[in-house]
Amino acid sequence: MSTAAVLASAAKLQHAWAGRQPQVAVLLGSGWSGMVQGLQDTRDVPYTELPAFPPLGIAGHAACVRLARLPKPPGAPGADVDVMVLMGRQHAYETGDATAMRGAVQTAAAVGCRTIVVTNAAGSLHSPWPAGSLMALSDHLNLVQRSPLQGLSGSDRFVDMGQAYDAELRQRAVQAAARLGVVLHEGVYAWMMGPQFETPAEIRMLQRLGADAVGMSTVPETIAARHAGLRVLAISLMTNMAAGLAAERLSHEQTLKAAALHEQQAARVLQAILHSIVD
Ligand code: HPA
């Protein structure tokens, strides 16, 4: 995505926002859109009006940037916060292109966000973490071995991934969830290209490699975000036990159904987390 497209997208958003300045961007995956329901003072700009953003085709995903004001929880310190919500992603499996969300992530940085919270639906590799469990990514396995930075030039493409997922943000997120009585686990996410689900043998391999969750997104966006200088917090909502770990047949419909079942809790936790990470 060209710099001109990112700057044009940023200018369009800033015009629509009329001086409001979010510090945090949130990319909503399956099961997370409950977070934006019922919020006041929203401004929507469709991805189709933002040249750095991809077209979206997948059921269950909206396609707009929503500036939303999160009301401060009753009794909590601080103020209401504006967040830039990216409602939907293009996945690398749709086109084979791992750069799909790079321009969107760069636009979040260009409008002044310093942090991005990336959410997804994932399969669990741990039986104590059934569907509905939440996991903050402590690290990832890029088994796909693709990067959104492929094709770029310049020495800044050699991004340090030693602390890709920000430990301080994660700690605040774990504490915010705990205050709601919800356990936010921490673990390693393995990116698989999909769109097919994994085989049981692949899941056994991932377990041996140290993965705790498996999914088809988030890693390219995290790499793009680190390249853009954003701090990253990423959270998985487990929608199923991974292949071979439970009797159920995996399907996209099953993912969406499980995501919908846990959407309200995920939304509540995400809102609390957002408050806790904005200074
Ligand atoms: N595998 C990959 N991606 C997923 C899964 C899974 O089991 N569940 C939700 N997204």
Side-chain angles (χ1 to χ4, degrees), residues 71-81 179 275-276 278-279:
K72 122 185 141 55
D80 297 352
V81 294
R179 283 195 290 275
H275 276 288
S276 77
V278 176
D279 291 315

Side-chain angles (χ1 to χ4, degrees), residues 76-237:
D80 297 352
V81 294
D82 274 337
V83 289
M84 171 186 178
V85 188
L86 282 63
M87 298 186 55
R89 55 160 62 89
Q90 190 183 90
H91 297 81
Y93 62 68
E94 293 175 60
T95 58
D97 178 8
T99 70
M101 293 301 290
R102 187 176 82 207
V105 169
Q106 288 175 329
T107 301
V111 296
C113 291
R114 290 186 298 210
T115 298
I116 187 164
V117 180
V118 185
T119 63
N120 63 52
S124 169
L125 273 63
H126 274 309
S127 31
W129 300 357
S133 304
L134 296 171
M135 183 191 90
L137 278 63
S138 56
D139 209 340
H140 71 226
L141 292 169
N142 181 354
L143 293 163
V144 173
Q145 282 299 296
R146 301 271 191 85
S147 168
L149 310 182
Q150 277 157 3
L152 296 184
S153 55
S155 54
D156 70 345
R157 75 192 130 147
F158 300 104
V159 177
D160 178 11
M161 295 295 289
Q163 310 268 331
Y165 300 93
D166 192 287
E168 192 214 335
L169 295 180
R170 195 160 70 248
Q171 193 188 4
R172 289 203 208 185
V174 167
Q175 289 166 351
R179 283 195 290 275
L180 296 177
V182 175
V183 180
L184 178 58
H185 301 287
E186 296 178 65
V188 174
Y189 175 94
W191 177 31
M192 296 292 268
M193 177 62 110
Q196 76 287 348
F197 287 99
E198 299 72 34
T199 64
E202 286 168 340
I203 294 302
R204 288 194 297 275
M205 171 188 78
L206 295 179
Q207 287 176 315
R208 285 183 194 150
L209 293 178
D212 301 295
V214 58
M216 305 176 194
S217 67
T218 300
V219 167
E221 295 128 17
T222 295
I223 297 169
R226 295 305 296 142
H227 178 249
L230 293 166
R231 298 171 80 187
V232 178
L233 172 69
I235 311 176
S236 295
L237 167 64

